[in-house]
Amino acid sequence: MILTEIDHVAIAVNDLEQAINYYEEAFGAKVHHREVVESDGVEEALIKVADSYIQLTAATRADSPIAKHLTKRGEGLHHIGYRVDDCQAALDAMILAGATAIDKAPRPGSRGTTVAFMHPKGSLGTLIELVQE
Ligand code: CO
């Protein structure tokens, strides 16, 4: 089994502060990490749940993938991050199994991770992010 944990569940939100407030009020959640990923046009707030995260994700510019998702589908589940030991090996295995890579090679993600995104077409309608810590 190549997947070692669920790294994070990413939820696209319109207003990051409002989303954080909701998770604080509803669940007593605390933000573990916050980061702007300029290359992806996103700002994310990570809420730790055991060894996984809920990643509340907002757009920082109109042409970011999150902005497009929000326009098309509104707020909600955006992608699932699967933790792996070796991002390149996991990417190769997925492509062999018929998946479509968005990232042809692993690249830097938030928190100093190495990531690769796989298109929902070819992965049962789920946008998958492979995450190597
Ligand atoms: Co992610």
Side-chain angles (χ1 to χ4, degrees), residues 7-10 44 46 55 57 78-81 110-111 115 117 129 131:
D7 185 80
H8 61 276
V9 173
E44 60 184 53
L46 292 173
Q55 181 187 286
T57 310
H78 185 259
H79 66 271
I80 299 179
S110 65
R111 289 176 286 140
V115 305
F117 277 90
E129 180 183 10
V131 184

Side-chain angles (χ1 to χ4, degrees), residues 7-8 40 84 87-88 91 103 105-117 129-133:
D7 185 80
H8 61 276
D40 289 338
V84 297
C87 192
Q88 181 69 67
L91 178 63
D103 296 305
R107 64 178 178 85
S110 65
R111 289 176 286 140
T113 58
T114 300
V115 305
F117 277 90
E129 180 183 10
L130 300 168
V131 184
Q132 179 186 338
E133 288 189 303

Side-chain angles (χ1 to χ4, degrees), residues 40-69:
D40 289 338
V42 302
E43 180 170 11
E44 60 184 53
L46 292 173
I47 290 159
K48 209 168 189 298
V49 182
D51 288 327
S52 303
Y53 302 97
I54 296 160
Q55 181 187 286
L56 303 172
T57 310
T60 57
R61 53 171 197 266
D63 66 342
S64 91
I66 292 292
K68 285 174 193 160
H69 178 95

